[in-house]
Amino acid sequence: RKNKDIPEGGSKGAILLSLDHQDKGESAFQKYVDALLDLLLPSSEMVDYYKQTEILFLGPDEGTADVMNWASAHARTRGASFWKAFTTGKTRSRGGIPHDLYGMTTRSIREYVTGCMEKMGLEESNITKLQTGGPDGDLGSNEILISKDKTIAVVDGGGVLFDPNGLNREELVRLAKLRQLGRNFDRKKLSPEGWYVDVEHAELSE
């Protein structure tokens, strides 16, 4: 049984680490969560002008997917009644639904996009697309696997893959299933106008 309370708004919570503490992400996240719980849970040390129960729902993003279990368990340890709902993205053993396995984010966005195309009378196979997020990631790989458009460019952490005639769909699907960066795209499957620029390339000429 899933939680019935679905927040209709939200915002990003960012933790900015100094250059000499880039390896302290998990510790910083734990302190961040503790600080949030300090504000959410009743305490004689806090002055509460709101006088109402407040609940936050935390969702994983860059660098925090692996600590959602910890945050939920820690909220329980701190006595939060809402600990099960405190984080999404937990493992199935903790009552979570793996977003990447079911492509939940990708599918919800695609419902919106396909609805727009239907309203405008457009055929997806005739649409060109530039995709940010490559075949190595959750969202990028799921988008490649379920889309039918003409993808002309993919930008990921490794570089930029481009072909004005459309990137070879079979090759994109192969990379998506293997969760590999665009740099592993078989260059023989690019048209004469296609190219790839890696983030490590420098001083390139035509």
Side-chain angles (χ1 to χ4, degrees), residues 125 127-129 149-154 161-172 185 189-194:
S125 59
I127 299 293
T128 57
K129 179 182 70 184
D149 54 53
K150 179 181 177 182
T151 303
I152 61 173
V154 171
L161 188 62
F162 174 78
D163 194 326
N165 299 306
L167 292 165
N168 184 280
R169 172 63 58 176
E170 290 74 21
E171 182 64 3
L172 284 177
F185 191 96
K189 296 185 178 180
L190 290 172
S191 73
E193 292 79 28

PDB file of all heavy atoms in Angstrom, residues 125 127-129 149-154 161-172 185 189-194:
ATOM      1  N   SER A 125       7.563   9.299 -34.990  1.00  0.00           N
ATOM      2  CA  SER A 125       8.683   8.866 -35.837  1.00  0.00           C
ATOM      3  C   SER A 125       9.194   9.991 -36.733  1.00  0.00           C
ATOM      4  O   SER A 125      10.299   9.914 -37.264  1.00  0.00           O
ATOM      5  CB  SER A 125       8.268   7.663 -36.688  1.00  0.00           C
ATOM      6  OG  SER A 125       7.159   7.994 -37.514  1.00  0.00           O
ATOM      7  N   ILE A 127       9.440  13.168 -35.599  1.00  0.00           N
ATOM      8  CA  ILE A 127       9.946  14.220 -34.708  1.00  0.00           C
ATOM      9  C   ILE A 127      11.452  14.042 -34.504  1.00  0.00           C
ATOM     10  O   ILE A 127      11.939  12.943 -34.259  1.00  0.00           O
ATOM     11  CB  ILE A 127       9.250  14.152 -33.335  1.00  0.00           C
ATOM     12  CG1 ILE A 127       7.745  14.373 -33.479  1.00  0.00           C
ATOM     13  CG2 ILE A 127       9.854  15.145 -32.363  1.00  0.00           C
ATOM     14  CD1 ILE A 127       7.373  15.758 -33.913  1.00  0.00           C
ATOM     15  N   THR A 128      12.196  15.143 -34.610  1.00  0.00           N
ATOM     16  CA  THR A 128      13.628  15.092 -34.296  1.00  0.00           C
ATOM     17  C   THR A 128      13.814  15.529 -32.846  1.00  0.00           C
ATOM     18  O   THR A 128      13.081  16.377 -32.342  1.00  0.00           O
ATOM     19  CB  THR A 128      14.457  16.010 -35.217  1.00  0.00           C
ATOM     20  OG1 THR A 128      13.966  17.353 -35.113  1.00  0.00           O
ATOM     21  CG2 THR A 128      14.372  15.555 -36.660  1.00  0.00           C
ATOM     22  N   LYS A 129      14.816  14.944 -32.201  1.00  0.00           N
ATOM     23  CA  LYS A 129      15.028  15.231 -30.784  1.00  0.00           C
ATOM     24  C   LYS A 129      16.506  15.345 -30.463  1.00  0.00           C
ATOM     25  O   LYS A 129      17.322  14.583 -30.974  1.00  0.00           O
ATOM     26  CB  LYS A 129      14.415  14.109 -29.929  1.00  0.00           C
ATOM     27  CG  LYS A 129      14.611  14.290 -28.422  1.00  0.00           C
ATOM     28  CD  LYS A 129      14.019  13.126 -27.642  1.00  0.00           C
ATOM     29  CE  LYS A 129      14.822  11.860 -27.835  1.00  0.00           C
ATOM     30  NZ  LYS A 129      14.229  10.697 -27.170  1.00  0.00           N
ATOM     31  N   ASP A 149      11.288   8.322 -31.841  1.00  0.00           N
ATOM     32  CA  ASP A 149      11.584   9.520 -32.618  1.00  0.00           C
ATOM     33  C   ASP A 149      12.893   9.399 -33.390  1.00  0.00           C
ATOM     34  O   ASP A 149      13.569   8.369 -33.349  1.00  0.00           O
ATOM     35  CB  ASP A 149      11.646  10.733 -31.685  1.00  0.00           C
ATOM     36  CG  ASP A 149      12.623  10.508 -30.535  1.00  0.00           C
ATOM     37  OD1 ASP A 149      13.778  10.166 -30.804  1.00  0.00           O
ATOM     38  OD2 ASP A 149      12.219  10.655 -29.360  1.00  0.00           O
ATOM     39  N   LYS A 150      13.240  10.461 -34.061  1.00  0.00           N
ATOM     40  CA  LYS A 150      14.511  10.547 -34.784  1.00  0.00           C
ATOM     41  C   LYS A 150      15.459  11.369 -33.914  1.00  0.00           C
ATOM     42  O   LYS A 150      15.445  12.590 -33.945  1.00  0.00           O
ATOM     43  CB  LYS A 150      14.294  11.207 -36.141  1.00  0.00           C
ATOM     44  CG  LYS A 150      15.557  11.375 -36.972  1.00  0.00           C
ATOM     45  CD  LYS A 150      15.214  12.064 -38.296  1.00  0.00           C
ATOM     46  CE  LYS A 150      16.461  12.324 -39.123  1.00  0.00           C
ATOM     47  NZ  LYS A 150      16.132  13.040 -40.394  1.00  0.00           N
ATOM     48  N   THR A 151      16.273  10.692 -33.121  1.00  0.00           N
ATOM     49  CA  THR A 151      17.191  11.375 -32.220  1.00  0.00           C
ATOM     50  C   THR A 151      18.428  11.810 -33.001  1.00  0.00           C
ATOM     51  O   THR A 151      19.136  10.982 -33.565  1.00  0.00           O
ATOM     52  CB  THR A 151      17.612  10.450 -31.058  1.00  0.00           C
ATOM     53  OG1 THR A 151      16.438  10.006 -30.361  1.00  0.00           O
ATOM     54  CG2 THR A 151      18.516  11.180 -30.084  1.00  0.00           C
ATOM     55  N   ILE A 152      18.685  13.108 -33.030  1.00  0.00           N
ATOM     56  CA  ILE A 152      19.821  13.607 -33.808  1.00  0.00           C
ATOM     57  C   ILE A 152      21.041  13.920 -32.932  1.00  0.00           C
ATOM     58  O   ILE A 152      22.147  14.058 -33.454  1.00  0.00           O
ATOM     59  CB  ILE A 152      19.452  14.870 -34.631  1.00  0.00           C
ATOM     60  CG1 ILE A 152      19.020  16.009 -33.705  1.00  0.00           C
ATOM     61  CG2 ILE A 152      18.352  14.542 -35.639  1.00  0.00           C
ATOM     62  CD1 ILE A 152      18.813  17.333 -34.432  1.00  0.00           C
ATOM     63  N   ALA A 153      20.833  14.023 -31.625  1.00  0.00           N
ATOM     64  CA  ALA A 153      21.972  14.318 -30.746  1.00  0.00           C
ATOM     65  C   ALA A 153      21.721  13.782 -29.345  1.00  0.00           C
ATOM     66  O   ALA A 153      20.587  13.764 -28.871  1.00  0.00           O
ATOM     67  CB  ALA A 153      22.236  15.826 -30.685  1.00  0.00           C
ATOM     68  N   VAL A 154      22.803  13.338 -28.723  1.00  0.00           N
ATOM     69  CA  VAL A 154      22.764  12.897 -27.328  1.00  0.00           C
ATOM     70  C   VAL A 154      23.934  13.548 -26.602  1.00  0.00           C
ATOM     71  O   VAL A 154      25.084  13.427 -27.031  1.00  0.00           O
ATOM     72  CB  VAL A 154      22.865  11.357 -27.205  1.00  0.00           C
ATOM     73  CG1 VAL A 154      23.037  10.953 -25.748  1.00  0.00           C
ATOM     74  CG2 VAL A 154      21.634  10.680 -27.794  1.00  0.00           C
ATOM     75  N   LEU A 161      27.212  13.409 -29.025  1.00  0.00           N
ATOM     76  CA  LEU A 161      27.058  12.530 -30.180  1.00  0.00           C
ATOM     77  C   LEU A 161      26.014  13.168 -31.085  1.00  0.00           C
ATOM     78  O   LEU A 161      24.914  13.517 -30.634  1.00  0.00           O
ATOM     79  CB  LEU A 161      26.592  11.152 -29.701  1.00  0.00           C
ATOM     80  CG  LEU A 161      26.521   9.993 -30.682  1.00  0.00           C
ATOM     81  CD1 LEU A 161      27.903   9.665 -31.242  1.00  0.00           C
ATOM     82  CD2 LEU A 161      25.930   8.775 -29.986  1.00  0.00           C
ATOM     83  N   PHE A 162      26.342  13.338 -32.376  1.00  0.00           N
ATOM     84  CA  PHE A 162      25.437  14.069 -33.278  1.00  0.00           C
ATOM     85  C   PHE A 162      25.407  13.441 -34.658  1.00  0.00           C
ATOM     86  O   PHE A 162      26.427  12.995 -35.182  1.00  0.00           O
ATOM     87  CB  PHE A 162      25.891  15.530 -33.403  1.00  0.00           C
ATOM     88  CG  PHE A 162      25.110  16.325 -34.406  1.00  0.00           C
ATOM     89  CD1 PHE A 162      23.841  16.802 -34.092  1.00  0.00           C
ATOM     90  CD2 PHE A 162      25.631  16.597 -35.660  1.00  0.00           C
ATOM     91  CE1 PHE A 162      23.112  17.535 -35.021  1.00  0.00           C
ATOM     92  CE2 PHE A 162      24.911  17.327 -36.598  1.00  0.00           C
ATOM     93  CZ  PHE A 162      23.643  17.805 -36.271  1.00  0.00           C
ATOM     94  N   ASP A 163      24.205  13.402 -35.227  1.00  0.00           N
ATOM     95  CA  ASP A 163      24.024  12.976 -36.608  1.00  0.00           C
ATOM     96  C   ASP A 163      22.742  13.612 -37.121  1.00  0.00           C
ATOM     97  O   ASP A 163      21.644  13.280 -36.666  1.00  0.00           O
ATOM     98  CB  ASP A 163      23.923  11.456 -36.722  1.00  0.00           C
ATOM     99  CG  ASP A 163      24.085  10.970 -38.164  1.00  0.00           C
ATOM    100  OD1 ASP A 163      23.640  11.693 -39.074  1.00  0.00           O
ATOM    101  OD2 ASP A 163      24.654   9.891 -38.357  1.00  0.00           O
ATOM    102  N   PRO A 164      22.854  14.564 -38.057  1.00  0.00           N
ATOM    103  CA  PRO A 164      21.656  15.273 -38.555  1.00  0.00           C
ATOM    104  C   PRO A 164      20.667  14.344 -39.251  1.00  0.00           C
ATOM    105  O   PRO A 164      19.487  14.688 -39.402  1.00  0.00           O
ATOM    106  CB  PRO A 164      22.251  16.296 -39.539  1.00  0.00           C
ATOM    107  CG  PRO A 164      23.542  15.700 -39.975  1.00  0.00           C
ATOM    108  CD  PRO A 164      24.075  14.988 -38.770  1.00  0.00           C
ATOM    109  N   ASN A 165      21.138  13.176 -39.672  1.00  0.00           N
ATOM    110  CA  ASN A 165      20.258  12.214 -40.331  1.00  0.00           C
ATOM    111  C   ASN A 165      19.594  11.247 -39.348  1.00  0.00           C
ATOM    112  O   ASN A 165      18.865  10.351 -39.751  1.00  0.00           O
ATOM    113  CB  ASN A 165      21.054  11.417 -41.370  1.00  0.00           C
ATOM    114  CG  ASN A 165      21.646  12.307 -42.445  1.00  0.00           C
ATOM    115  OD1 ASN A 165      20.940  13.072 -43.084  1.00  0.00           O
ATOM    116  ND2 ASN A 165      22.957  12.242 -42.615  1.00  0.00           N
ATOM    117  N   GLY A 166      19.889  11.449 -38.074  1.00  0.00           N
ATOM    118  CA  GLY A 166      19.324  10.582 -37.044  1.00  0.00           C
ATOM    119  C   GLY A 166      20.335   9.536 -36.601  1.00  0.00           C
ATOM    120  O   GLY A 166      20.924   8.833 -37.427  1.00  0.00           O
ATOM    121  N   LEU A 167      20.567   9.454 -35.310  1.00  0.00           N
ATOM    122  CA  LEU A 167      21.493   8.452 -34.781  1.00  0.00           C
ATOM    123  C   LEU A 167      20.892   7.064 -34.940  1.00  0.00           C
ATOM    124  O   LEU A 167      19.684   6.878 -34.796  1.00  0.00           O
ATOM    125  CB  LEU A 167      21.772   8.731 -33.301  1.00  0.00           C
ATOM    126  CG  LEU A 167      22.563  10.013 -33.008  1.00  0.00           C
ATOM    127  CD1 LEU A 167      22.458  10.386 -31.533  1.00  0.00           C
ATOM    128  CD2 LEU A 167      24.018   9.848 -33.413  1.00  0.00           C
ATOM    129  N   ASN A 168      21.740   6.112 -35.264  1.00  0.00           N
ATOM    130  CA  ASN A 168      21.289   4.736 -35.464  1.00  0.00           C
ATOM    131  C   ASN A 168      20.550   4.230 -34.223  1.00  0.00           C
ATOM    132  O   ASN A 168      21.129   4.118 -33.147  1.00  0.00           O
ATOM    133  CB  ASN A 168      22.497   3.851 -35.781  1.00  0.00           C
ATOM    134  CG  ASN A 168      22.107   2.431 -36.088  1.00  0.00           C
ATOM    135  OD1 ASN A 168      21.850   1.641 -35.190  1.00  0.00           O
ATOM    136  ND2 ASN A 168      22.063   2.092 -37.368  1.00  0.00           N
ATOM    137  N   ARG A 169      19.259   3.937 -34.388  1.00  0.00           N
ATOM    138  CA  ARG A 169      18.427   3.552 -33.257  1.00  0.00           C
ATOM    139  C   ARG A 169      18.883   2.246 -32.613  1.00  0.00           C
ATOM    140  O   ARG A 169      18.916   2.110 -31.393  1.00  0.00           O
ATOM    141  CB  ARG A 169      16.967   3.434 -33.723  1.00  0.00           C
ATOM    142  CG  ARG A 169      15.988   2.866 -32.711  1.00  0.00           C
ATOM    143  CD  ARG A 169      15.837   3.714 -31.472  1.00  0.00           C
ATOM    144  NE  ARG A 169      15.405   5.072 -31.731  1.00  0.00           N
ATOM    145  CZ  ARG A 169      15.134   5.965 -30.781  1.00  0.00           C
ATOM    146  NH1 ARG A 169      15.258   5.613 -29.507  1.00  0.00           N
ATOM    147  NH2 ARG A 169      14.758   7.189 -31.075  1.00  0.00           N
ATOM    148  N   GLU A 170      19.253   1.268 -33.433  1.00  0.00           N
ATOM    149  CA  GLU A 170      19.697  -0.022 -32.898  1.00  0.00           C
ATOM    150  C   GLU A 170      20.949   0.133 -32.038  1.00  0.00           C
ATOM    151  O   GLU A 170      21.085  -0.512 -30.991  1.00  0.00           O
ATOM    152  CB  GLU A 170      19.965  -1.019 -34.031  1.00  0.00           C
ATOM    153  CG  GLU A 170      18.732  -1.517 -34.760  1.00  0.00           C
ATOM    154  CD  GLU A 170      18.138  -0.468 -35.685  1.00  0.00           C
ATOM    155  OE1 GLU A 170      18.871   0.480 -36.082  1.00  0.00           O
ATOM    156  OE2 GLU A 170      16.940  -0.572 -35.994  1.00  0.00           O
ATOM    157  N   GLU A 171      21.846   1.016 -32.464  1.00  0.00           N
ATOM    158  CA  GLU A 171      23.078   1.223 -31.707  1.00  0.00           C
ATOM    159  C   GLU A 171      22.789   1.955 -30.395  1.00  0.00           C
ATOM    160  O   GLU A 171      23.388   1.648 -29.363  1.00  0.00           O
ATOM    161  CB  GLU A 171      24.085   2.002 -32.549  1.00  0.00           C
ATOM    162  CG  GLU A 171      25.438   2.243 -31.878  1.00  0.00           C
ATOM    163  CD  GLU A 171      26.226   0.965 -31.588  1.00  0.00           C
ATOM    164  OE1 GLU A 171      25.758  -0.142 -31.947  1.00  0.00           O
ATOM    165  OE2 GLU A 171      27.305   1.073 -30.990  1.00  0.00           O
ATOM    166  N   LEU A 172      21.865   2.902 -30.419  1.00  0.00           N
ATOM    167  CA  LEU A 172      21.474   3.590 -29.192  1.00  0.00           C
ATOM    168  C   LEU A 172      20.843   2.614 -28.201  1.00  0.00           C
ATOM    169  O   LEU A 172      21.133   2.651 -27.008  1.00  0.00           O
ATOM    170  CB  LEU A 172      20.481   4.719 -29.509  1.00  0.00           C
ATOM    171  CG  LEU A 172      21.035   6.003 -30.133  1.00  0.00           C
ATOM    172  CD1 LEU A 172      19.903   6.961 -30.448  1.00  0.00           C
ATOM    173  CD2 LEU A 172      22.058   6.664 -29.222  1.00  0.00           C
ATOM    174  N   PHE A 185      29.513   4.534 -28.791  1.00  0.00           N
ATOM    175  CA  PHE A 185      28.729   4.401 -30.020  1.00  0.00           C
ATOM    176  C   PHE A 185      29.649   3.992 -31.163  1.00  0.00           C
ATOM    177  O   PHE A 185      30.716   4.566 -31.357  1.00  0.00           O
ATOM    178  CB  PHE A 185      28.064   5.742 -30.342  1.00  0.00           C
ATOM    179  CG  PHE A 185      27.031   5.698 -31.430  1.00  0.00           C
ATOM    180  CD1 PHE A 185      25.688   5.574 -31.122  1.00  0.00           C
ATOM    181  CD2 PHE A 185      27.397   5.804 -32.771  1.00  0.00           C
ATOM    182  CE1 PHE A 185      24.726   5.553 -32.121  1.00  0.00           C
ATOM    183  CE2 PHE A 185      26.454   5.784 -33.770  1.00  0.00           C
ATOM    184  CZ  PHE A 185      25.113   5.654 -33.452  1.00  0.00           C
ATOM    185  N   LYS A 189      28.542   3.580 -37.626  1.00  0.00           N
ATOM    186  CA  LYS A 189      27.099   3.702 -37.819  1.00  0.00           C
ATOM    187  C   LYS A 189      26.635   5.152 -37.849  1.00  0.00           C
ATOM    188  O   LYS A 189      25.439   5.437 -37.834  1.00  0.00           O
ATOM    189  CB  LYS A 189      26.366   2.915 -36.729  1.00  0.00           C
ATOM    190  CG  LYS A 189      26.661   1.420 -36.832  1.00  0.00           C
ATOM    191  CD  LYS A 189      25.864   0.599 -35.840  1.00  0.00           C
ATOM    192  CE  LYS A 189      26.179  -0.887 -36.050  1.00  0.00           C
ATOM    193  NZ  LYS A 189      25.434  -1.766 -35.117  1.00  0.00           N
ATOM    194  N   LEU A 190      27.595   6.083 -37.899  1.00  0.00           N
ATOM    195  CA  LEU A 190      27.291   7.493 -38.114  1.00  0.00           C
ATOM    196  C   LEU A 190      27.277   7.783 -39.604  1.00  0.00           C
ATOM    197  O   LEU A 190      28.042   7.183 -40.360  1.00  0.00           O
ATOM    198  CB  LEU A 190      28.328   8.387 -37.432  1.00  0.00           C
ATOM    199  CG  LEU A 190      28.334   8.453 -35.900  1.00  0.00           C
ATOM    200  CD1 LEU A 190      29.543   9.229 -35.418  1.00  0.00           C
ATOM    201  CD2 LEU A 190      27.046   9.078 -35.373  1.00  0.00           C
ATOM    202  N   SER A 191      26.434   8.709 -40.039  1.00  0.00           N
ATOM    203  CA  SER A 191      26.438   9.121 -41.448  1.00  0.00           C
ATOM    204  C   SER A 191      27.667   9.996 -41.685  1.00  0.00           C
ATOM    205  O   SER A 191      28.340  10.406 -40.734  1.00  0.00           O
ATOM    206  CB  SER A 191      25.161   9.902 -41.757  1.00  0.00           C
ATOM    207  OG  SER A 191      25.208  11.196 -41.174  1.00  0.00           O
ATOM    208  N   PRO A 192      27.996  10.317 -42.937  1.00  0.00           N
ATOM    209  CA  PRO A 192      29.160  11.181 -43.217  1.00  0.00           C
ATOM    210  C   PRO A 192      29.086  12.534 -42.506  1.00  0.00           C
ATOM    211  O   PRO A 192      30.118  13.153 -42.238  1.00  0.00           O
ATOM    212  CB  PRO A 192      29.097  11.356 -44.736  1.00  0.00           C
ATOM    213  CG  PRO A 192      28.439  10.096 -45.218  1.00  0.00           C
ATOM    214  CD  PRO A 192      27.400   9.796 -44.183  1.00  0.00           C
ATOM    215  N   GLU A 193      27.871  12.984 -42.188  1.00  0.00           N
ATOM    216  CA  GLU A 193      27.710  14.281 -41.516  1.00  0.00           C
ATOM    217  C   GLU A 193      27.736  14.148 -39.991  1.00  0.00           C
ATOM    218  O   GLU A 193      27.718  15.145 -39.273  1.00  0.00           O
ATOM    219  CB  GLU A 193      26.388  14.936 -41.931  1.00  0.00           C
ATOM    220  CG  GLU A 193      26.315  15.384 -43.382  1.00  0.00           C
ATOM    221  CD  GLU A 193      26.029  14.213 -44.312  1.00  0.00           C
ATOM    222  OE1 GLU A 193      25.385  13.242 -43.842  1.00  0.00           O
ATOM    223  OE2 GLU A 193      26.439  14.269 -45.477  1.00  0.00           O
ATOM    224  N   GLY A 194      27.774  12.926 -39.490  1.00  0.00           N
ATOM    225  CA  GLY A 194      27.734  12.713 -38.052  1.00  0.00           C
ATOM    226  C   GLY A 194      29.099  12.833 -37.402  1.00  0.00           C
ATOM    227  O   GLY A 194      30.133  12.695 -38.066  1.00  0.00           O
TER     228      GLY A 194
END
